[in-house]
Amino acid sequence: NAGVTQTPKFQVLKTGQSMTLQCAQDMNHNSMYWYRQDPGMGLRLIYYSASEGTTDKGEVPNGYNVSRLNKREFSLRLESAAPSQTSVYFCASRVRGPSNEQFFGPGTRLTVL
Amino acid sequence: SQELEQSPQSLIVQEGKNLTINCTSSKTLYGLYWYKQKYGEGLIFLMMLQKGGEEKSHEKITAKLDEKKQQSSLHITASQPSHAGIYLCGADAGSEKLVFGKGTKLTVNP
């Protein structure tokens, strides 16, 4: 099993460009998540999907859109990138329900110039 | 909304020393997770605690959840350079969400 995979690993964008971050998991998990990690801010939830066909906003959703394409895949789209979106983005998944740990992908390091 | 505060923010210890990292919640904890992150990598799950007074150990790392379920501690015995990284606590926050602390950066000097 590959676990949670993310593409790309690194990306540099210019202000105003758009891009989609891809995430896939092969553990048959119901719930999937997108976080951003910034120095001194910890992990902040952008969007999550508790099950296929549903998505909900997290703590910092502005400037982002998501798509739960199927049970395996959950993508994050930046429509018009801004320097404030420079960050490391992590995708995670878990079995639905409390007391189940999240499994994280390796992250995407995004720089917006 | 629930908030997790970690202390200290950073820690530098000499190899072989013991250390403790704390995680304090603004609300009762119903599931507390400890993760470790090496620089430039994803998060690795360490342990999960649920019950008040619960204690779990893995190799030289022990995590405890206090009786009131509002604070957890992570203790490393005889630290090694391989323990270096960022330690994060996370908690179930309802509706399938987890909330995380800001992390504690651990440096272990040989």
Side-chain angles (χ1 to χ4, degrees), chain A residues 44-84:
Chain A
R44 293 184 290 171
L45 182 64
I46 305 171
Y47 271 94
Y48 68 105
S49 171
S51 61
E52 188 179 352
T54 69
T55 60
D56 287 284
K57 294 179 181 179
E59 184 184 351
V60 288
N62 291 346
Y64 306 95
N65 285 304
V66 290
S67 295
R68 184 73 184 266
L69 304 169
N70 47 54
K71 193 172 186 179
R72 290 187 62 248
E73 298 171 290
F74 188 39
S75 63
L76 178 72
R77 182 159 178 86
L78 286 71
E79 290 291 350
S80 179
S84 60

Side-chain angles (χ1 to χ4, degrees), chain A residues 31 33 37 94 97 99 102, chain B residues 33 35 37 50 92 96 98:
Chain A
S31 301
Y33 307 79
Q37 186 178 38
R94 76 172 190 172
S99 306
Q102 287 187 350
Chain B
Y33 307 82
Y35 286 86
Q37 182 181 26
Q50 264 187 289
D92 281 315
E96 288 301 304
L98 266 68

Side-chain angles (χ1 to χ4, degrees), chain A residues 1-52:
Chain A
N1 286 353
V4 180
T5 56
Q6 292 182 235
T7 54
K9 292 191 181 213
F10 300 93
Q11 184 71 48
V12 179
L13 293 177
K14 294 182 180 178
T15 297
Q17 288 186 315
S18 62
M19 80 161 294
T20 300
L21 281 64
Q22 307 286 355
C23 174
Q25 52 90 11
D26 61 2
M27 296 173 282
N28 203 35
H29 288 168
N30 304 96
S31 301
M32 296 186 74
Y33 307 79
W34 276 107
Y35 293 92
R36 59 178 289 173
Q37 186 178 38
D38 303 290
M41 301 296 290
L43 278 175
R44 293 184 290 171
L45 182 64
I46 305 171
Y47 271 94
Y48 68 105
S49 171
S51 61
E52 188 179 352

